[in-house]
Amino acid sequence: MEKNPSERNLNPIAKMGNVLLKFSLKYMPDASIFAVLLTVTAFIAGVALTDQGPIEMIGNWYKGFWELLAFAMQMSLIVVTGSAVANSPAVKKGIKRIASIPKSGMQAVWLVAVAVILVSYLHWGLSLIVGALLAKEVAKNLKRKSIPFEYGLIVAAAYVGQMTWQGTLSSSIGLSIASPGHILEKEMGIIPMSDYMGNFVNIFVTIALLIIPPIFAMLMHPKKDGISPLEEDALKAIEEEDAEALKRPENPTVGDILNYSPIISYSIGIMGWVYIIYAFATKGFSALDINLVNFIFLFTGMILHKNIANYVRAVSEAVSGAAGIIFQFPLYAGIQGIIKYSGLVNILSSAIVAISTPKTFYLWTFLTAAIINMFVPSGGGQWTVQGPIAIASAEMMGADVIKTCLMVGYGNTWTNMFQPFWAIALLGITGLKAKDIMGYSTAIMICGGIVYIIASFLPMYL
């Protein structure tokens, strides 16, 4: 069968994206269905590969179901407080300024990817929301100028920060092993964030991911006659006007005066920042954990919105972005329970050690983590499950502990590009569905995988 003209004009990278996009559009379920299918897969694997029966496996599922409620709240707050900061007038002004730069669809893809990766180095949660808002604003500008663009690819570029953050400031593994009393302190001691982030392998990965995936994503942009039309939800999201800041009523009540008082907002914001500065001054990088990050976002948002009324509205608008986390996180916690309490991770990790050599151990650690991330899409949750096995395996192999931790982290972030769980908030803001971006994000994942695989062999030569 002869290909249509748009397919004939695609370069090899764009053809890859086109093929994967078509597969995604046809077969990729919504994120919620994905969680259910993974639950069934984990259940069947547990029964088939362990000595536990169906009833015991259901018990493992229920046991794990409620173990991540606190973490789910922390993740929800990251989305909500990060979104509130990103929606503040000052940040949105900066986003709009950046969004006005691209003069073509290809430039838009590259710019969004680079911006999101840089923000992910600061914090993955903020990169998710900033990426969504930037992608939408870029699309709005291009549409206004009648410049053709592939919206699904731009949004996929906005998701790439979820593949790049595990070696930087918000790394759940790095923050964990740098904290006194962490779950593996007896086995590996305390490793400062400076040692974790400053490892040569991680420096290589951090620089390579900033350069290679954005160029790759840019080259996937189709020609004008191959661009997908905007669907109603996407069009509505792009054309949606920003809400104006709330203003105090002309005849304010005492309550109105308090709600719109910048003095109150600034006072509580400054109180929060006094503690933040104190924490870093006394503890350094070890102070940085998920609670402090949420604390930073919370009080920064209050300051940026200038009054409590506008901040509360920003939070209310952001809550819908956390709806998927609230529904799906218990399901993923249940999957984690099946894997942890049935011994599936032990079986998988033992198998990896059995087939590993000193040259391939880091590669197999990375690939194992990538597979487990499909079932436990939480860096902190996955480290709780896989960390003890990874460190024990490293000791058996005589491998470097920090590089082993990095490989677990890289695997955890790599398959995020094929795992739509963290894309929930992104999709909600941009008006797209998982199937609209997963073909492109999977292609970018393959590109990023090359960087990670090269990095897995670097320890042999360092």
Side-chain angles (χ1 to χ4, degrees):
M1 179 183 294
E2 185 174 340
K3 298 179 180 179
N4 62 49
S6 63
E7 289 179 327
R8 286 201 304 267
N9 292 331
L10 294 176
N11 63 56
I13 294 176
K15 286 181 180 178
M16 177 194 296
N18 193 44
V19 169
L20 290 171
L21 178 63
K22 287 181 178 180
F23 178 86
S24 176
L25 289 171
K26 188 173 183 179
Y27 296 108
M28 179 65 69
D30 287 339
S32 298
I33 298 299
F34 203 74
V36 173
L37 293 176
L38 286 175
T39 299
V40 175
T41 301
F43 175 83
I44 294 173
V47 173
L49 299 177
T50 71
D51 57 0
Q52 296 188 12
I55 299 301
E56 291 173 298
M57 207 58 61
I58 290 177
N60 294 333
W61 180 56
Y62 181 81
K63 187 176 180 180
F65 210 82
W66 308 112
E67 288 188 342
L68 297 181
L69 286 181
F71 192 64
M73 184 61 177
Q74 290 171 322
M75 291 296 101
S76 296
L77 282 173
I78 276 189
V79 172
V80 171
T81 58
S83 181
V85 167
N87 274 297
S88 66
V91 174
K92 289 174 80 171
K93 184 178 180 180
I95 289 174
K96 288 183 178 180
R97 185 172 299 172
I98 295 172
S100 66
I101 295 174
K103 299 298 187 291
S104 69
M106 291 182 70
Q107 289 181 16
V109 172
W110 181 86
L111 178 69
V112 169
V114 169
V116 165
I117 292 171
L118 287 173
V119 176
S120 80
Y121 292 166
L122 177 64
H123 193 270
W124 69 266
L126 186 60
S127 78
L128 189 64
I129 305 304
V130 168
L133 294 175
L134 180 59
K136 188 170 74 168
E137 195 64 34
V138 164
K140 183 185 295 186
N141 277 318
L142 294 178
K143 185 175 182 298
R144 188 183 298 124
K145 298 173 183 176
S146 299
I147 297 174
F149 63 93
E150 180 68 13
Y151 190 39
L153 179 56
I154 292 175
V155 175
Y159 191 46
V160 75
Q162 301 311 296
M163 185 182 71
T164 59
W165 59 274
Q166 264 289 17
T168 53
L169 285 171
S170 64
S171 168
S172 51
I173 294 175
L175 292 172
S176 174
I177 63 178
S179 304
H182 69 85
I183 60 172
L184 294 172
E185 184 176 359
K186 291 182 179 179
E187 291 79 7
M188 60 187 295
I190 297 172
I191 298 176
M193 278 292 287
S194 56
D195 291 354
Y196 179 82
M197 293 174 56
N199 184 277
F200 178 83
V201 170
N202 190 54
I203 293 173
F204 164 80
V205 168
T206 302
I207 295 173
L209 289 178
L210 181 61
I211 297 172
I212 299 173
I215 295 175
F216 181 88
M218 177 184 70
L219 293 175
M220 275 197 293
H221 197 283
K223 294 185 181 297
K224 183 177 179 179
D225 55 358
I227 289 175
S228 305
L230 291 171
E231 296 185 2
E232 183 178 349
D233 288 345
L235 192 60
K236 182 179 178 182
I238 292 173
E239 294 179 343
E240 183 180 41
E241 293 296 328
D242 295 336
E244 295 183 1
L246 297 173
K247 297 181 179 180
R248 194 176 76 173
E250 292 184 2
N251 298 308
T253 64
V254 174
D256 290 332
I257 293 173
L258 295 174
N259 288 338
Y260 290 91
S261 171
I263 296 176
I264 292 179
S265 185
Y266 291 155
S267 296
I268 191 69
I270 291 171
M271 283 179 62
W273 267 96
V274 166
Y275 177 80
I276 293 164
I277 294 170
Y278 169 79
F280 281 117
T282 56
K283 301 178 182 178
F285 268 127
S286 65
L288 194 64
D289 58 18
I290 193 169
N291 289 327
L292 188 61
V293 168
N294 279 328
F295 199 79
I296 292 171
F297 282 171
L298 176 65
F299 291 103
T300 299
M302 288 185 184
I303 293 173
L304 290 175
H305 282 278
K306 300 181 180 180
N307 60 62
I308 300 300
N310 276 295
Y311 185 70
V312 169
R313 185 180 72 168
V315 169
S316 298
E317 292 174 350
V319 165
S320 61
I325 294 175
I326 295 170
F327 169 67
Q328 293 180 44
F329 223 99
L331 291 175
Y332 282 113
I335 294 170
Q336 180 173 293
I338 291 174
I339 292 175
K340 181 165 65 174
Y341 297 117
S342 69
L344 270 177
V345 167
N346 294 25
I347 292 172
L348 182 58
S349 298
S350 297
I352 295 302
V353 171
I355 64 174
S356 294
T357 67
K359 291 183 178 180
T360 62
F361 172 73
Y362 297 109
L363 174 63
W364 287 119
T365 300
F366 163 71
L367 294 175
T368 302
I371 294 170
I372 293 174
N373 181 57
M374 295 298 297
F375 295 86
V376 189
S378 155
Q382 180 168 340
W383 181 246
T384 300
V385 174
Q386 190 180 0
I389 304 303
I391 297 305
S393 302
E395 291 178 352
M396 292 170 58
M397 297 294 298
D400 184 271
V401 170
I402 294 180
K403 292 167 185 174
T404 300
C405 293
L406 286 168
M407 290 303 148
V408 174
Y410 296 157
N412 167 260
T413 55
W414 183 50
T415 45
N416 279 343
M417 299 299 287
F418 186 71
Q419 159 61 275
F421 178 72
W422 294 117
I424 296 168
L426 176 84
L427 297 171
I429 293 171
T430 56
L432 294 181
K433 298 180 176 62
K435 65 181 181 179
D436 298 319
I437 72 167
M438 281 297 145
Y440 290 126
S441 66
T442 301
I444 298 172
M445 182 188 79
I446 294 171
C447 171
I450 296 172
V451 173
Y452 285 131
I453 290 172
I454 292 173
S456 74
F457 289 103
L458 286 180
M460 295 185 301
Y461 305 106
L462 301 174

